[in-house]
């Protein structure tokens, strides 16, 4: 049986929110089978549990935000991406503020934390959301066009194309493809950092955003070049970070996906619209398990390798 996974023990992290600049503590804890991934705002007078789902994503401006009533957890996509990359199904995440810490701006720190706690299989079958027919969402026209698509595939692949007219980005690959069954998430995707233009950072800070951002947790560019002294971590770091974000956004559906994702200039908003569009058509998806691991997509039965 291809089984669900959780942590062997709890692990903790402390950092600041990218936009809020507030100090925040995370405690990542094992959860029973079929719990899903659940954020818990333990700083509130009455703790609030927010289960991850496509419908719980309520704000997609600059990040993916989950809400339940007045309680929110912002900027969940990097942590969700790490959970997807390691095949974690069940996890409790206690958080002491409204925003997940940005750490180094990628998902690699979360991957390290999760793997340091250990990953174990549970006595329950892993449930996949399988795409049965193509679904697409589009926005804008001409040079403003954006789109994202899901199509049937026995596995989970992603292809993302960005379109930034900037010397530093033009010098790198603007299209990246990745197969989640390859087992190379930690090596090939997880270290890609969020990126921003210095002129936009100034505007965001003037509006009370990006207060925790800097060269230690983002790739920052002026009009011509990357300002980080250590340069890029990958030749295609910009496009790879968009893949990283998409993995986290799509994992907000609450289950690992079987399908092929393709996107052009998509972002958090369009990714969530794509999930909602998929779920709105009952003939476009189903939920499957694999009683025989040999029937699962190649690479999906193997636990993630050690860091």
């Amino acid at each position: 049986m291809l089984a669900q996974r959780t942590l062997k023990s709890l692990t903790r992290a402390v950092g600041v929110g990218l936009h809020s600049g507030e100090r925040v503590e995370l405690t990542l804890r094992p959860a029973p089978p079929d719990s899903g991934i659940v954020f818990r705002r333990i700083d509130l007078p009455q703790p609030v549990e927010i289960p991850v789902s496509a419908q719980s994503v309520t704000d997609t401006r600059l990040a993916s935000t989950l809400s339940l009533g007045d309680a929110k957890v912002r900027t969940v996509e990097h942590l969700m991406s790490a959970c997807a990359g390691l095949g974690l199904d069940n996890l409790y995440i206690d958080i002491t503020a409204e925003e997940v810490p940005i750490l180094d701006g990628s998902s690699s720190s979360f991957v390290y934390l999760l793997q340091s706690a250990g990953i174990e299989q549970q006595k329950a079958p892993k449930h996949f959301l399988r795409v049965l027919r193509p679904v697409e969402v589009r926005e804008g026209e001409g040079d403003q066009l954006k789109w994202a698509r899901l199509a049937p595939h026995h596995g989970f692949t992603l292809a993302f194309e960005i379109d930034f007219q900037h010397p530093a980005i033009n010098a790198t690959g603007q299209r990246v493809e990745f197969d989640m069954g390859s087992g190379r998430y930690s090596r090939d995707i997880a270290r890609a950092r969020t990126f921003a233009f210095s002129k936009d950072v100034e505007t965001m800070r003037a509006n009370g955003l990006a207060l925790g951002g800097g060269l230690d947790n983002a790739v920052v560019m002026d009009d011509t070049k990357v300002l980080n002294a250590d340069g890029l971590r990958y030749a295609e770091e910009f496009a790879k970070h968009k893949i990283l974000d998409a993995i986290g956004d799509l994992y907000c559906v609450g289950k690992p996906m079987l399908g092929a994702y393709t996107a052009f200039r998509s972002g958090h908003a369009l990714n969530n619209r794509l999930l909602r569009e998929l779920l709105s058509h009952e003939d476009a998806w189903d939920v499957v398990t694999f009683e025989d691991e040999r029937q699962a997509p190649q690479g999906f039965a193997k636990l993630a390798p050690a860091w």
Side-chain angles (χ1 to χ4, degrees):
M1 178 183 70
L2 189 53
Q4 295 179 33
R5 301 172 187 172
T6 190
L7 296 182
K8 288 183 178 178
S9 61
L10 65 79
T11 184
R12 293 187 174 92
V14 178
V16 298
L18 173 62
H19 294 297
S20 67
E22 292 182 2
R23 184 182 185 275
V24 56
E25 297 178 19
L26 280 184
T27 302
L28 309 167
R29 298 189 288 115
D34 299 318
S35 299
I37 296 176
V38 181
F39 284 85
R40 298 179 69 246
R41 284 288 307 277
I42 61 172
D43 58 311
L44 300 176
Q46 192 72 27
V48 176
E49 293 191 351
I50 308 176
V52 172
S53 71
Q55 290 74 25
S56 66
V57 178
T58 56
D59 192 345
T60 50
R61 293 170 294 179
L62 301 178
S64 288
T65 297
L66 307 175
S67 300
L68 183 64
D70 293 331
K72 297 180 180 180
V73 180
R74 301 163 62 194
T75 319
V76 302
E77 58 272 11
H78 298 173
L79 177 50
M80 289 301 298
S81 186
C83 291
L86 297 180
L88 282 167
D89 301 279
N90 305 302
L91 185 66
Y92 289 136
I93 304 169
D94 295 346
I95 187 168
T96 63
E98 192 173 275
E99 189 174 17
V100 173
I102 190 61
L103 302 182
D104 76 337
S106 73
S107 66
S108 62
S109 295
F110 293 119
V111 168
Y112 177 81
L113 281 167
L114 293 166
Q115 289 189 323
S116 69
I119 297 170
E120 69 177 11
Q121 298 192 40
Q122 299 175 288
K123 294 180 179 180
K126 191 180 188 77
H127 296 88
F128 292 85
L129 189 146
R130 179 172 60 180
V131 179
L132 297 178
R133 67 170 178 83
V135 174
E136 181 178 304
V137 291
R138 301 173 75 87
E139 179 182 306
E141 297 179 356
D143 60 3
Q144 299 300 311
L145 176 65
K146 306 175 183 178
W147 56 264
R149 178 186 304 128
L150 283 167
H153 178 68
H154 190 59
F156 183 34
T157 61
L158 303 100
F160 201 110
E161 183 176 354
I162 58 177
D163 183 28
F164 289 97
Q165 299 306 310
H166 184 279
I169 301 179
N170 287 338
T172 73
Q174 298 219 32
R175 189 177 192 277
V176 169
E177 297 183 8
F178 182 68
D179 184 346
M180 285 289 281
S182 67
R184 295 195 297 266
Y185 173 85
S186 298
R187 188 187 74 182
D188 292 351
I189 300 296
R191 297 179 63 246
R193 294 161 293 178
T194 192
F195 58 93
F197 301 99
S198 55
K199 58 184 178 182
D200 294 335
V201 172
E202 294 166 6
T203 301
M204 286 191 286
R205 285 180 174 165
N207 288 292
L209 298 170
L211 301 179
L215 293 173
D216 57 341
N217 55 33
V219 178
V220 182
M221 293 163 284
D222 61 14
D223 291 337
T224 61
K225 63 184 181 300
V226 170
L227 299 180
N228 303 64
D230 57 350
L232 299 179
R233 294 177 173 176
Y234 302 112
E236 317 92 341
E237 186 165 2
F238 304 105
K240 283 191 170 184
H241 186 77
K242 288 294 189 176
I243 288 270
L244 185 156
D245 276 349
I247 291 169
D249 288 341
L250 295 178
Y251 206 42
C252 286
V253 78
K255 295 177 176 64
M257 185 172 290
L258 297 179
Y261 166 88
T262 313
F264 175 67
R265 300 176 63 196
S266 186
H268 304 301
L270 211 56
N271 290 337
N272 187 250
R273 271 186 56 200
L274 181 63
L275 289 182
R276 290 171 182 256
E277 180 68 15
L278 175 70
L279 296 176
S280 71
H281 299 283
E282 292 185 1
D283 65 335
W285 60 278
D286 66 0
V287 175
V288 296
T289 61
F290 296 100
E291 293 301 323
D292 185 342
E293 289 185 357
R294 293 171 296 183
Q295 296 175 343
Q298 186 174 4
F300 277 62
K302 184 180 179 182
L303 279 171
W307 180 255

